[in-house]
Amino acid sequence: MSGWHFRLRQAPALRVDLRGITPAALAELSAAQVGQLRVGHGNAMLALAELFDVAPGTEEGTLRFEGDLGRFDRIGWQMDSGRIRVEGDAGHYAGGCMRGGALQIDGSAGLLAACEMAGGSIDVKGDVGDFAASTLPGSMDGMRGGTLVVHGQAGERFGDRMRRGSAIVHGDAGAFLGSRMVAGTIAVGGKAGAHAGYGMRRGSIVFAAPGAALPAGIEAALTFVPNPTATPVFWALLARDLARHGGAFAALPARRIERHLGDLSADGKGELIVCL
């Protein structure tokens, strides 16, 4: 599987839809064929060569995008193998519906990053916008598998309707973190908004900041109850898995926890885990 290097010529006038531009789709194509692939630009279609200088890459199975792709949406959409690296910002829906492979974004990503992701890994060095690891508009199921790591901040409704997988935020997260969560694990190294766990049914939300506590003024605290039941094996496994992400998570295996079960208003059996 060959690799390709795309160097952005200049910012497009309108938003560009990069769905279909994946390592597997480009594996057997020539440079001329790759350059002639059509992508959406507003209501029109443009050839990739009109937007990028296209050249063979140095890493097999890797698509490398150089430049600010903040107006380029659906990077890695439905990707199932290979690797994509964006050396800058990415637009909306980055890594949406991914089934495998790896997406690395050296900057920040827009709205709905990792929406309905089912497998693979996404690593965002900057921030993500609202509804990351969540559902597509009008859908019922959020993130379904894989791993999302955000090294910066996360917007509102991170992990909304999440069903499976791991979503890690090293910085702060906005309001309604893990809202309507069905299963999976969310871990936050910074602060979270006041409505964390709203409507949560199952799954775990871990607050890992040093001296962590439930978010100030959290309304969900009224429908979550402290649970003193010891879970040493479960926590040992989860803490070890989270510790590999470093930062605020590195010391989790040595820390005690406080569990709060709920959201009782939704007959939920999820948990908010505060690391003491």
Side-chain angles (χ1 to χ4, degrees):
M1 183 183 293
S2 59
W4 296 97
H5 180 196
F6 300 87
R7 180 180 289 108
L8 183 64
R9 290 183 168 180
Q10 61 182 7
L14 303 172
R15 302 200 71 84
V16 176
D17 189 334
L18 284 184
R19 77 178 76 200
I21 307 302
T22 64
L26 275 56
E28 305 300 327
L29 302 183
S30 67
Q33 290 172 320
V34 171
Q36 289 306 306
L37 290 174
R38 313 285 282 180
V39 294
H41 177 247
N43 293 324
M45 302 294 287
L46 291 179
L48 274 180
E50 296 184 56
L51 299 165
F52 298 96
D53 293 322
V54 182
T58 58
E59 299 178 64
E60 186 175 352
T62 297
L63 306 186
R64 176 184 165 204
F65 290 91
E66 182 181 339
D68 181 359
L69 270 62
R71 290 186 178 181
F72 288 75
D73 300 333
R74 292 181 171 84
I75 298 170
W77 179 261
Q78 295 183 339
M79 182 169 72
D80 54 18
S81 62
R83 184 170 182 264
I84 296 177
R85 179 175 180 181
V86 180
E87 297 179 350
D89 292 341
H92 307 320
Y93 300 98
C97 300
M98 268 182 63
R99 297 183 291 267
L103 171 61
Q104 177 179 328
I105 299 171
D106 291 346
S108 296
L111 304 173
L112 291 151
C115 58
E116 300 193 16
M117 176 185 184
S121 64
I122 301 176
D123 190 271
V124 182
K125 300 301 183 185
D127 305 330
V128 293
D130 296 345
F131 287 95
S134 180
T135 64
L136 289 168
S139 183
M140 293 295 291
D141 295 333
M143 182 176 176
R144 303 167 187 182
T147 302
L148 167 65
V149 179
V150 179
H151 294 265
Q153 322 293 339
E156 309 294 298
R157 295 277 187 181
F158 184 88
D160 184 58
R161 293 190 185 275
M162 181 177 176
R163 300 191 67 88
R164 194 172 295 156
S166 299
I168 315 298
V169 181
H170 282 263
D172 298 338
F176 294 98
L177 172 74
S179 57
R180 303 180 290 183
M181 187 175 176
V182 179
T185 300
I186 295 175
V188 180
K191 299 177 181 178
H195 309 294
Y198 175 81
M200 181 181 186
R201 302 300 298 271
R202 292 181 182 272
S204 303
I205 300 178
V206 179
F207 300 100
L214 288 181
I218 183 172
E219 288 186 2
L222 300 176
T223 53
F224 280 77
V225 295
N227 188 296
T229 304
T231 56
V233 176
F234 163 77
W235 175 243
L237 294 173
L238 179 57
R240 185 172 62 187
D241 182 62
L242 294 176
R244 64 190 175 90
H245 297 288
F249 310 106
L252 290 187
R255 294 170 64 184
R256 296 181 299 108
I257 62 172
E258 183 180 88
R259 300 170 66 223
H260 300 260
L261 304 185
D263 181 347
L264 301 181
S265 68
D267 293 327
K269 299 178 181 179
E271 60 180 358
L272 306 180
I273 299 177
V274 177
C275 300
L276 304 176

